[in-house]
Amino acid sequence: MEILKGLPVANDINEKLVEEIKNIEGPLPHLAIIRVGERPDDCSYERGATKKMEKVGVRCTSYTFPADIDNDTFQKEFDKINENQDIDGILLLRPLPKHLDEKAVENRIDPRKDLDGISPLNLAKVYAGDETGYAPCTAEAVIEMLHFAGIDIKGKRVTVVGRSLVIGKPVSMLLMKENATVTVCHTKTVDMAGTCRNAQILVAAAGSAKMIKPEFVSEGAVVIDVGINTDEEGNLCGDVDFDSIVDIASVATPVPGGVGSVTTSVLAKHLVKAAKMR
């Protein structure tokens, strides 16, 4: 089995971006990262995104707010960032604390700056196949990895496990845009293992540690694991029981070191696109 790692894919995207940025007239692209509170996963992602922006040569500013900020104050602060003409793109680290109105932010974010595809307009564009919009970065990272590996998506039977608006649904739309035949599984799916076993490409985005066992994977299938979980021993793992499928799948992505490694490069790609449309 070939292990499809994210780093070579990310490096390939980064190299192309560096060349693109050289041709941008005016100020360098500018990303705003908005974080509320000190959740370890948010802080980790922020650090990774900041390093990636520095690596490709764009500007990045972090806006951090206390976890107990009241909703009115947060919405006003968000509006200031949203309306700042010097900022080309916004990354809002989610989920927000429960007392903050996340839906209001999704509705008010400028779609031209919404680099992670949270606004209704951008989600609609993804569903319509309109390339002027922005898909969620993780969903697009899946497509980037398949392209980089030279895996032909057209006409393939693809099963996506998970139907969230963050990954499952948008990645299904992106795969259909590539002319795949897509089936979506979820908690109410009858015979999920059998449905997954029919797939030539399996995308696991359920958020359930090691749920994809050998009986879910057909001989020679390509397995893309989008899950980020911790196992019983507290170790980072994906939705796929990786060690158990090495003799079945032809290609699989690891966790960590797989799709997640590509996500911030897609974010940088979206930022450059936004700046060029400025």
Side-chain angles (χ1 to χ4, degrees):
M1 182 186 78
E2 177 191 347
I3 298 176
L4 177 56
K5 293 187 177 179
L7 187 58
V9 186
N11 287 340
D12 183 62
I13 296 170
N14 298 345
E15 287 169 15
K16 292 172 183 172
L17 288 177
V18 168
E19 291 305 310
E20 269 193 76
I21 290 163
K22 289 177 183 176
N23 298 319
I24 291 179
E25 296 179 4
L28 287 172
H30 189 185
L31 172 68
I33 301 177
I34 301 174
R35 173 167 56 84
V36 181
E38 301 293 331
R39 285 179 49 196
D41 52 344
D42 282 351
C43 294
S44 174
Y45 191 78
E46 180 184 353
R47 285 193 299 272
T50 301
K51 285 181 184 175
K52 185 60 60 70
M53 301 309 137
E54 290 172 355
K55 187 172 184 177
V56 300
V58 298
R59 294 178 292 156
C60 182
T61 304
S62 292
Y63 295 86
T64 306
F65 301 100
D68 60 356
I69 187 173
D70 67 83
N71 186 58
D72 286 345
T73 304
F74 176 71
Q75 300 295 341
K76 287 172 185 173
E77 291 298 324
F78 179 83
D79 286 344
K80 288 178 191 174
I81 300 165
N82 198 31
E83 292 162 10
N84 186 338
Q85 295 301 307
D86 185 48
I87 290 172
D88 297 293
I90 295 172
L91 172 66
L92 174 68
L93 297 176
R94 300 183 299 159
L96 295 175
K98 286 187 166 50
H99 69 280
L100 298 181
D101 189 348
E102 192 167 309
K103 189 63 68 178
V105 177
E106 292 170 3
N107 287 321
R108 69 208 300 163
I109 190 170
D110 185 341
R112 296 169 298 180
K113 298 183 180 186
D114 171 30
L115 305 186
D116 203 22
I118 68 172
S119 76
L121 180 59
N122 276 322
L123 283 172
K125 286 186 174 184
V126 171
Y127 280 61
D130 184 342
E131 294 184 0
T132 64
Y134 299 99
C137 296
T138 303
E140 193 168 317
V142 171
I143 306 299
E144 292 280 0
M145 293 194 80
L146 291 169
H147 284 171
F148 182 85
I151 295 164
D152 187 15
I153 304 172
K154 183 172 69 175
K156 290 290 196 315
R157 298 186 307 277
V158 182
T159 296
V160 177
V161 183
R163 54 178 170 178
S164 74
L165 276 176
V166 178
I167 302 169
K169 288 179 180 176
V171 82
S172 300
M173 294 299 118
L174 294 175
L175 287 161
M176 280 196 275
K177 191 171 185 294
E178 299 274 340
N179 296 307
T181 300
V182 180
T183 301
V184 178
C185 289
H186 45 79
T187 52
K188 300 294 188 291
T189 298
V190 176
D191 187 19
M192 188 183 295
T195 303
C196 292
R197 205 164 48 243
N198 185 52
Q200 295 165 291
I201 300 172
L202 178 61
V203 180
S208 180
K210 299 183 180 181
M211 70 165 285
I212 303 297
K213 304 290 186 184
E215 61 269 22
F216 286 68
V217 182
S218 65
E219 191 71 37
V222 174
V223 181
I224 308 294
D225 191 351
V226 191
I228 299 286
N229 313 286
T230 50
D231 62 18
E232 316 85 56
E233 295 159 7
N235 299 315
L236 203 61
C237 70
D239 287 356
V240 178
D241 188 358
F242 189 86
D243 292 341
S244 72
I245 67 159
V246 292
D247 295 326
I248 306 171
S250 60
V251 179
T253 61
V255 176
V259 176
S261 309
V262 182
T263 301
T264 52
S265 290
V266 172
L267 177 68
K269 183 179 178 181
H270 286 180
L271 178 65
V272 172
K273 174 181 171 181
K276 290 172 78 172
M277 291 171 66
R278 177 171 57 197

